[in-house]
């Protein structure tokens, strides 16, 4: 074949480094973005955080120094930190042992209540008056369990030895409030070189301290196991036949049979009728198996929302959370020096370009999140007024078509991005769900159906709980056509037990 030259035109999509960085930043969570920014601030001298005293000054910066500051009021959530308690020493005749307390941070958790939300006359991006409500102001300070116990210990007149022993017991508690080790095991761990008599004295001191801590709030703290924890709570209740039977169940190791509702075997072993056993079961079910759980900050509680839903006279709007908005800029001094140095190296020029791209892409990331969030809020107005039961069915393509974006972009924006609503902090993906047909010929969201199931179970007669078939029938009566297997799937997703395990009366 004779060689020849041909001219041909074609189009292809090229992912430039800037576009690749933009896509990667869009799918990062707030925590991952913060880590990314911290790493780049250390490695790139052209990128720096902007520290502006006057919020209005950010609007006057030049383009290379444009700060990523939203046009929203700045709301600070303060954190508090407590210093460690002084080390307490318990003096023995030949051995000293020390019980030192740890250092605990106190954070602020965001908690929103539907009744606390008020209308604002400002737009989604505007600043409000001094008395304007901000969801970030609704924060409850949560202290550590050990600090809560030390606060009660501080009000008691104790000797140095007793106080040190109590400190040792408090430091040995786990996050649920349990004391996994016995006083003897703690004594051996605290004074491994002591003789038998010293270990016995130390064990007695720790036993006395353990009983003191068990009398503190919350009830059940410093129990060795679940049964011990429940017994400590029951002993604080007035004496009656039901309480005594409940104590007998916990102390006798019958909790497993009670969980299986093996009434016949319990009747034989405890010599009690089924009605009394059911009353004791209800009494035990009202106890808290994790007395320290209320003082533990779970990951879900620590989530910082990226977007805040705010009500205005025109309806609900989405506002970016200023607490998660980074303020970055290109160092203008270094950038000017690069312009004057015509023979500057390519590496430095590349870092300057990287800093500019990063500032622009981070700003574009939050603009995209705000646009998507606002579109979601506009389509789910009834949810913000009436809750999950009013959620309408919605898919990613609806938002993508309205904003002129690809579905994959909407998926990245709604993954690990959270919105603070009157009904709690939820992931943006929470607003998307398939539709189920209704008798009226329309559709209802699967989220709304799950909420209806939850309400039906909450209102059912505990002596005769609703089966999945009965739940499906109740939903049909309310105009929602759903199969029994679908009800079972939604019930399991809500972590609701089957009817036979919910029966308590």
């Amino acid at each position: 074949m004779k060689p020849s030259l041909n001219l041909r035109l074609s189009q292809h999509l090229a992912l430039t480094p800037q576009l690749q960085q933009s896509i990667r930043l869009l799918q990062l969570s707030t925590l991952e973005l913060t880590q990314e920014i911290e790493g780049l601030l250390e490695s790139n001298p052209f990128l720096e955080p902007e520290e502006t005293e006057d919020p209005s000054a950010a609007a006057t910066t030049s383009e290379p120094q444009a700060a990523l500051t939203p046009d929203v009021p700045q709301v600070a959530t303060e954190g508090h930190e407590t210093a460690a308690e002084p080390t307490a020493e318990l003096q023995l005749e030949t051995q000293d042992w020390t019980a030192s307390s740890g250092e605990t941070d106190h954070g602020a958790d965001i908690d929103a209540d539907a009744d606390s939300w008020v209308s604002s006359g400002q737009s989604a991006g505007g600043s409000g008056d001094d008395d304007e409500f901000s969801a970030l102001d609704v924060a409850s300070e949560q202290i550590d369990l050990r600090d809560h116990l030390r606060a009660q210990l501080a009000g008691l007149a104790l000797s140095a030895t007793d106080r040190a022993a109590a400190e040792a017991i408090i430091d040995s508690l786990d996050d649920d409030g349990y004391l996994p080790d016995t006083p003897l095991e703690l004594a051996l761990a605290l004074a491994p070189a002591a003789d038998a008599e010293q270990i016995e004295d130390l064990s007695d001191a720790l036993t006395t301290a353990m009983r003191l801590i068990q009398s503190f709030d919350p009830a059940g703290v410093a129990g060795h196991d679940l049964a011990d924890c429940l017994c400590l709570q029951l002993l604080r209740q007035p004496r009656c036949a039901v309480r005594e039977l409940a104590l007998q169940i916990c102390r006798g190791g019958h909790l497993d049979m009670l969980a299986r509702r093996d009434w016949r075997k319990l009747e034989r072993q405890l010599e009690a009728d089924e009605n009394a056993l059911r009353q004791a079961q209800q009494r035990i079910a009202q106890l808290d198996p994790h007395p320290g759980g209320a003082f533990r900050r779970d990951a879900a509680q620590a989530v910082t929302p990226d977007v805040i839903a705010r009500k205005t006279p025109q309806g609900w709007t989405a506002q970016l959370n200023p607490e998660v908005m980074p303020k970055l800029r290109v160092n203008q001094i270094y950038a000017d020096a690069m312009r004057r140095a015509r023979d500057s190296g390519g590496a430095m020029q590349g870092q300057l370009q990287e800093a500019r791209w990063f500032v622009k892409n981070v700003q574009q990331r939050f603009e995209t999140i705000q646009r998507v969030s606002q579109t979601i809020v506009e389509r789910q107005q009834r949810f913000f007024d009436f809750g999950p039961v009013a959620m309408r069915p919605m898919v990613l393509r609806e938002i993508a078509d309205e904003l002129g974006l690809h579905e994959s972009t909407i998926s990245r924006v709604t993954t690990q991005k959270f919105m603070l609503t009157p009904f709690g902090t939820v992931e943006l993906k929470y607003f998307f769900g398939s539709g189920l047909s209704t008798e009226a010929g329309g559709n209802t969201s699967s989220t709304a159906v799950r909420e209806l199931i939850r309400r039906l179970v909450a209102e059912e007669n505990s002596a005769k709980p609703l089966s999945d078939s009965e739940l499906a029938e109740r939903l049909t009566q309310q105009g929602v056509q759903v199969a029994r297997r679908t009800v079972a799937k939604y019930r399991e997703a809500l972590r609701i037990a089957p009817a036979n395990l919910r029966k308590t009366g």
Side-chain angles (χ1 to χ4, degrees):
M1 180 181 290
K2 184 177 181 180
S4 61
L5 295 176
N6 295 317
L7 183 62
R8 182 170 54 186
L9 297 178
S10 64
Q11 292 182 339
H12 65 279
L13 178 64
L15 288 177
T16 64
Q18 182 180 4
L19 182 58
Q20 293 177 11
Q21 184 187 69
S22 177
I23 294 174
R24 187 170 59 85
L25 292 179
L26 190 60
Q27 66 187 13
L28 295 181
S29 65
T30 299
L31 178 60
E32 293 170 339
L33 177 64
T34 301
Q35 296 172 347
E36 181 82 9
I37 291 174
E38 291 176 353
L40 197 59
L41 286 173
E42 293 179 358
S43 62
N44 194 324
F46 292 96
L47 189 67
E48 64 178 4
E50 181 177 10
E51 299 177 358
T52 306
E53 294 292 336
D54 183 7
S56 62
T60 60
T61 54
S62 59
E63 181 179 354
Q65 293 176 314
L68 302 182
T69 309
D71 186 17
V72 292
Q74 297 290 331
V75 182
T77 304
E78 297 181 357
H80 303 279
E81 190 173 283
T82 58
E85 295 284 341
T87 302
E89 296 183 356
L90 177 62
Q91 301 291 336
L92 299 176
E93 293 181 3
T94 59
Q95 179 79 20
D96 293 342
W97 61 276
T98 303
S100 60
S101 63
E103 185 171 341
T104 306
D105 294 334
H106 300 291
D109 288 336
I110 299 174
D111 183 21
D113 188 275
D115 295 334
S116 302
W117 290 72
V118 297
S119 299
S120 167
Q122 304 296 327
S123 62
S127 59
D129 300 331
D130 292 339
D131 59 348
E132 182 183 5
F133 173 79
S134 173
L136 293 180
D137 290 334
V138 184
S140 58
E141 182 178 343
Q142 193 169 12
I143 68 172
D144 182 81
L145 172 64
R146 295 168 184 82
D147 288 340
H148 179 67
L149 296 174
R150 290 190 186 99
Q152 300 173 70
L153 183 66
L156 301 179
L158 301 175
S159 65
T161 299
D162 293 338
R163 187 171 298 276
E167 288 279 356
I169 294 295
I170 292 175
D171 288 335
S172 301
L173 299 177
D174 60 19
D175 291 338
D176 287 326
Y178 287 93
L179 183 67
D181 300 321
T182 64
L184 179 58
E185 292 171 340
L186 287 176
L188 292 172
L190 291 169
D195 56 30
E197 183 177 357
Q198 294 169 344
I199 291 296
E200 184 179 358
D201 291 341
L202 181 54
S203 177
D204 291 341
L206 290 171
T207 300
T208 302
M210 178 190 68
R211 292 171 180 167
L212 175 64
I213 300 302
Q214 289 176 346
S215 67
F216 286 0
D217 178 66
V221 71
H224 294 304
D225 51 28
L226 176 61
D228 193 20
C229 173
L230 298 179
C231 287
L232 291 172
Q233 298 178 56
L234 289 169
L235 288 172
R236 296 197 185 187
Q237 298 181 3
R239 184 187 297 271
C240 64
V242 175
R243 191 201 77 159
E244 297 306 314
L245 181 57
L247 280 172
Q248 190 177 357
I249 292 173
C250 295
R251 288 171 174 170
H254 304 300
L255 287 175
D256 289 339
M257 282 188 290
L258 186 69
R260 296 193 302 268
R261 291 174 171 79
D262 193 348
W263 306 119
R264 301 304 178 193
K265 193 171 183 180
L266 285 171
E267 287 177 7
R268 291 195 303 269
Q269 295 190 6
L270 300 177
E271 298 181 353
D273 57 37
E274 183 176 342
N275 183 50
L277 289 171
R278 289 185 181 275
Q279 293 180 11
Q281 181 206 33
Q282 293 178 357
R283 180 68 61 91
I284 293 174
Q286 295 171 356
L287 305 177
D288 186 2
H290 307 288
F295 299 86
R296 183 175 61 241
R297 296 187 63 193
D298 298 329
Q301 295 175 319
V303 169
T304 302
D306 302 88
V307 183
I308 301 171
R310 183 184 294 276
K311 191 171 186 179
T312 68
Q314 293 75 32
W316 288 92
T317 60
Q319 170 185 301
L320 290 174
N321 181 4
E323 294 298 318
V324 301
M325 294 284 289
K327 300 178 181 179
L328 301 173
R329 66 180 179 186
V330 174
N331 189 302
Q332 193 61 38
I333 298 177
Y334 290 171
D336 292 341
M338 284 291 298
R339 294 193 190 96
R340 291 192 296 269
R342 298 180 180 274
D343 56 346
S344 59
M348 297 295 290
Q349 188 67 35
Q351 285 186 317
L352 175 59
Q353 187 63 43
E354 180 188 32
R356 288 172 174 166
W357 284 350
F358 191 81
V359 170
K360 182 178 180 181
N361 287 334
V362 171
Q363 185 173 9
Q364 184 179 358
R365 173 187 186 273
F366 283 96
E367 290 175 352
T368 305
I369 292 175
Q370 201 282 331
R371 290 178 61 204
V372 172
S373 301
Q374 180 61 33
T375 306
I376 291 174
V377 170
E378 290 174 355
R379 288 176 171 264
Q380 298 288 3
Q381 290 281 319
R382 292 180 59 83
F383 163 82
F384 295 95
D385 288 325
F386 305 105
V389 71
M391 185 83 76
R392 56 157 290 185
M394 186 171 65
V395 295
L396 296 177
R397 177 174 291 278
E398 294 182 43
I399 306 298
D401 292 342
E402 182 168 340
L403 297 179
L405 300 173
H406 194 272
E407 284 186 59
S408 63
T409 302
I410 305 301
S411 178
R412 292 187 181 96
V413 171
T414 55
T415 301
Q416 295 185 341
K417 315 298 188 304
F418 297 88
M419 178 184 294
L420 180 60
T421 75
F423 307 97
T425 301
V426 298
E427 190 178 14
L428 293 182
K429 279 191 177 298
Y430 173 75
F431 295 99
F432 297 89
S434 58
L436 297 174
S437 60
T438 63
E439 289 183 355
N443 287 329
T444 185
S445 171
S446 58
T447 303
V449 176
R450 284 194 292 267
E451 177 63 17
L452 288 174
I453 294 174
R454 187 190 65 79
R455 293 188 180 184
L456 288 173
V457 171
E459 297 171 357
E460 70 183 2
N461 183 1
S462 59
K464 190 178 180 181
L466 299 173
S467 65
D468 293 339
S469 299
E470 291 172 331
L471 287 172
E473 184 179 351
R474 294 286 184 91
L475 291 173
T476 302
Q477 293 173 358
Q478 298 187 23
V480 181
Q481 300 175 359
V482 56
R484 184 203 60 80
R485 60 180 180 275
T486 304
V487 171
K489 181 180 69 173
Y490 289 166
R491 176 183 53 75
E492 293 173 357
L494 292 169
R495 297 183 179 180
I496 297 176
N500 63 324
L501 297 181
R502 299 201 306 271
K503 186 175 181 180
T504 58

